[in-house]
Amino acid sequence: MATRADGTLVLRGPGSIPVSVRAHGFQHVGDLDIAAGYVFDSYQGPRAKSAKMFLVTSPDGKRREYRHDLDAGELFNHSFAAVSPDHQWLVPASSGPASGSRCSPRPC
């Protein structure tokens, strides 16, 4: 769950995963974030999956997928996506022990 600037809540769960995302094998949506009107959803697939995916929805409702291949030793799960307070960086997180974190420029 996340809150838009106007106070409305955005909820996610198994029923909110788009069919196109499920078709690519991503079957779980983690906690989302909202920044500058953009909604950032994080998706994971089964343990055998070799990538994670973010789905970014712009304020006008357009969606774009951003995938990233797993690095050696990187966990397959995608617990949440967070955008830095300055809206410049996307910080994904996995549950479990981590030896570092991955940041990337905010897609959109």
Side-chain angles (χ1 to χ4, degrees):
M1 173 176 11
T3 306
R4 294 184 189 275
D6 66 4
T8 59
L9 296 177
V10 178
L11 304 172
R12 293 292 190 258
S16 67
I17 301 173
V19 172
S20 61
V21 171
R22 282 191 186 278
H24 291 299
F26 295 101
Q27 58 194 25
H28 174 79
V29 59
D31 294 338
L32 67 149
D33 198 4
I34 300 174
Y38 289 81
V39 178
F40 296 83
D41 289 301
S42 58
Y43 290 93
Q44 70 185 48
R47 289 186 187 272
K49 200 79 175 147
S50 61
K52 296 180 183 180
M53 192 268 288
F54 290 100
L55 182 66
V56 181
T57 306
S58 66
D60 65 2
K62 293 181 183 170
R63 292 180 173 170
R64 294 187 65 179
E65 292 183 10
Y66 295 90
R67 293 177 190 226
H68 109 103
D69 292 330
L70 299 179
D71 291 331
E74 183 177 0
L75 298 173
F76 76 98
N77 62 341
H78 226 15
S79 299
F80 67 85
V83 178
S84 63
D86 64 1
H87 301 168
Q88 297 297 309
W89 300 97
L90 180 62
V91 184
S94 299
S95 61
S99 60
S101 82
R102 167 190 287 270
C103 295
S104 58
R106 183 188 76 158
C108 40

